[in-house]
Amino acid sequence: MTTTPLALFVGMPGYELSANEIAFFRETNPFGLFLFKRNLDNPEQIKRLVHQFKEAVGRDDAPVYIDQEGGRVQRLDNGNWPLFRSLGQFGALARKDLETGKRAMRLSTLAMGSMMSELGLGSGTTPVVDLARKGTHDVIGQRSFGDDPDLVTAMGRVVIDAMLEVGSMPIMKHIPGYGRVTVDPHFDCPVVDAEVDDLRQTDFRPFIALKDSPWAMVAHLVFTQIDKDRPASVSPAVCDLIRRDIGYDGVLITDCLTMEALKGTWPERVRAALDAGYDIALHSQGDLNASEAAAKAAGPLTAESLARIDRAQSRLGKSRVDVRALHAEVEDIFRENGLA
C-alpha cells in the first residue's frame, strides 16, 4: 500500500466489496469511496460496507461519501429512511418567511446529517449554492435555493453550520457556479460567455460569502472569459480564480470526471484535474478496471491538500438528533405555511 492516500475518490458496483476490490483498495489506497443507490440497501449493510473499505485502506478516518441533497438527489430513498425535501422547496419557504425557512432548513439538515453520520457516511455533498434562473437547465432546478444570491447564501450557511454540528462534511457545489448552464453537463459541455465582473456580482457571490466551507465541488463547464479551451474542473486558470479571486482555501474535489462534459480518456481526465491544481479527483463510475486505470493516473495527496483535509476534519462536531422527530417537525412547518 502507498503510505499517502491517492488524491482520488472511486466507486464500486455492489453492496459489498469483492476480494479483488479489497485487494485493489489495499494496494492503491485511494483517499475515499463514493457510493450510489446501487450500493445502499439497509443500515446494517451500509455500516458493513463502510467498515470493509476502511479496513481495506487501513484508515479509520477514510471518507465514504454520497449525494444526499434532498429532493430528486438523495440516495437513501428506498423506504428505510425518511425522504427529505429539495433545497428548492426550502428556498420557496424562505422567500415567504426567511427566518422560518432557515429554521426548517436547519432542522432538516440536522436530521439528514445525523442520519448519515450514524451510518458511517461522511458527507451528502451538499449544499448546492448554484443560482437557478429562469433559463438555467433543469439539471440544477429544484436542487438550488433560487436565483437570489443573498437568499442562497443565507440558506447555504444554515446547511454548512448544521452539517458540521452533526459531524457530516459540508461540500458546497458546484464552484464557481452552474447558474448559467443551458445544457446538462452529464451529457454535454456547458459554455458560459459572461464577463468575469458580471459573474462576481451574481454566480460567484454565494461561493465568495461561503468561502469558509470546508469542502467544495468543482463544476464541469467552460467559462470562455477565463479559459476558453478547458472546462473549469481541468482548468488551471479557473482553479487559480477559485483560490485567488473567490478566495477559497478549502478542499476542492471535482464533480465526477466520467461526465460527458469532459474529453479524453478517464485517466487523462484524472491527471488533468490534479495537474490543474485541484486537491482530489472524483471518479465514481464503479468498474474495477476503470478504477485501476484512474488510480494509475492519480498521484498521492499533496502536503497542501492534506493540510486542508485536516483543517476540515477538525471542524466536525459529534452531536446527534432524533432524525424522525425533526423530520416530522419540518413537515409540520411546511403544512403550517401552506406548502405541504
Side-chain angles (χ1 to χ4, degrees), residues 32-58:
L33 180 66
F34 208 93
L35 302 179
F36 291 85
K37 288 183 185 182
R38 64 179 183 253
N39 312 120
L40 306 166
D41 184 32
N42 62 71
E44 292 310 311
Q45 171 267 323
I46 293 170
K47 291 175 186 177
R48 284 196 305 272
L49 177 55
V50 169
H51 175 74
Q52 268 193 309
F53 174 69
K54 293 185 176 187
E55 187 175 54
V57 296

Side-chain angles (χ1 to χ4, degrees), residues 159-221:
V159 174
I160 290 168
D161 291 348
M163 281 292 178
L164 286 171
E165 189 173 329
V166 292
S168 188
M169 187 66 73
I171 302 183
M172 68 171 178
K173 55 192 188 189
H174 304 80
I175 197 167
Y178 272 138
R180 296 174 189 250
V181 301
T182 56
V183 298
D184 185 343
H186 291 88
F187 307 108
D188 201 355
C189 186
V191 176
V192 172
D193 293 322
E195 296 291 337
V196 175
D197 285 344
D198 183 13
L199 292 165
R200 285 194 194 102
Q201 297 303 314
T202 54
D203 297 59
F204 294 175
R205 274 177 56 193
F207 296 102
I208 294 169
L210 300 172
K211 64 185 179 182
D212 62 332
S213 175
W215 281 55
M217 181 175 283
V218 185
H220 299 317
L221 75 163

Side-chain angles (χ1 to χ4, degrees), residues 20-331:
N20 286 339
E21 288 162 346
I22 290 171
F24 163 69
F25 289 136
R26 183 174 291 128
E27 174 64 27
T28 61
N29 193 16
F31 178 64
L33 180 66
F34 208 93
L35 302 179
F36 291 85
K37 288 183 185 182
R38 64 179 183 253
N39 312 120
L40 306 166
D41 184 32
N42 62 71
E44 292 310 311
Q45 171 267 323
I46 293 170
K47 291 175 186 177
R48 284 196 305 272
L49 177 55
V50 169
H51 175 74
Q52 268 193 309
F53 174 69
K54 293 185 176 187
E55 187 175 54
V57 296
R59 289 179 284 117
D60 288 339
D61 60 351
V64 180
Y65 291 173
I66 64 173
D67 281 317
Q68 181 74 14
E69 302 165 4
R72 65 181 174 85
V73 180
Q74 54 186 320
R75 308 309 185 203
L76 300 169
D77 67 348
N78 64 8
N80 285 316
W81 302 276
L83 290 177
F84 292 85
R85 290 178 178 266
S86 70
L87 300 185
Q89 289 176 292
F90 286 98
L93 180 59
R95 284 189 291 278
K96 186 175 181 180
D97 184 320
L98 179 58
E99 291 309 311
T100 299
K102 289 166 64 175
R103 176 170 169 265
M105 186 77 264
R106 171 175 160 75
L107 295 175
S108 184
T109 303
L110 290 173
M112 190 162 67
S114 190
M115 181 181 80
M116 288 186 290
S117 293
E118 289 168 4
L119 295 169
L121 301 171
S123 178
T125 58
T126 187
V128 176
V129 297
D130 304 293
L131 304 185
R133 299 176 174 80
K134 186 176 180 180
T136 303
H137 193 278
D138 285 344
V139 68
I140 298 301
Q142 282 292 300
R143 296 172 66 191
S144 165
F145 293 112
D147 63 358
D148 178 352
D150 292 327
L151 184 142
V152 170
T153 297
M155 297 296 282
R157 170 62 62 198
V158 172
V159 174
I160 290 168
D161 291 348
M163 281 292 178
L164 286 171
E165 189 173 329
V166 292
S168 188
M169 187 66 73
I171 302 183
M172 68 171 178
K173 55 192 188 189
H174 304 80
I175 197 167
Y178 272 138
R180 296 174 189 250
V181 301
T182 56
V183 298
D184 185 343
H186 291 88
F187 307 108
D188 201 355
C189 186
V191 176
V192 172
D193 293 322
E195 296 291 337
V196 175
D197 285 344
D198 183 13
L199 292 165
R200 285 194 194 102
Q201 297 303 314
T202 54
D203 297 59
F204 294 175
R205 274 177 56 193
F207 296 102
I208 294 169
L210 300 172
K211 64 185 179 182
D212 62 332
S213 175
W215 281 55
M217 181 175 283
V218 185
H220 299 317
L221 75 163
V222 170
F223 291 98
T224 59
Q225 301 305 306
I226 305 167
D227 186 338
K228 63 183 178 60
D229 298 317
R230 286 170 290 196
S233 51
V234 292
S235 168
V238 176
C239 185
D240 185 68
L241 175 137
I242 292 170
R243 293 296 191 201
R244 296 177 184 274
D245 199 332
I246 291 177
Y248 184 75
D249 192 34
V251 180
L252 285 172
I253 182 172
T254 68
D255 208 340
C256 184
L257 293 168
T258 64
M259 290 163 63
E260 294 303 317
L262 303 180
K263 296 179 180 178
T265 66
W266 290 346
E268 287 170 347
R269 299 176 191 188
V270 168
R271 191 66 256 155
L274 298 175
D275 285 347
Y278 297 112
D279 295 296
I280 301 170
L282 172 58
H283 185 281
S284 55
Q285 191 263 354
D287 174 78
L288 181 57
N289 289 333
S291 294
E292 289 173 341
K296 289 177 182 177
L301 287 161
T302 66
E304 292 83 357
S305 296
L306 288 167
R308 292 183 182 114
I309 291 166
D310 287 345
R311 287 199 299 269
Q313 289 297 118
S314 72
R315 295 176 62 187
L316 293 176
K318 296 182 179 180
S319 297
R320 292 292 183 272
V321 300
D322 185 324
V323 173
R324 293 191 181 274
L326 262 62
H327 182 268
E329 189 173 349
V330 171
E331 291 303 300

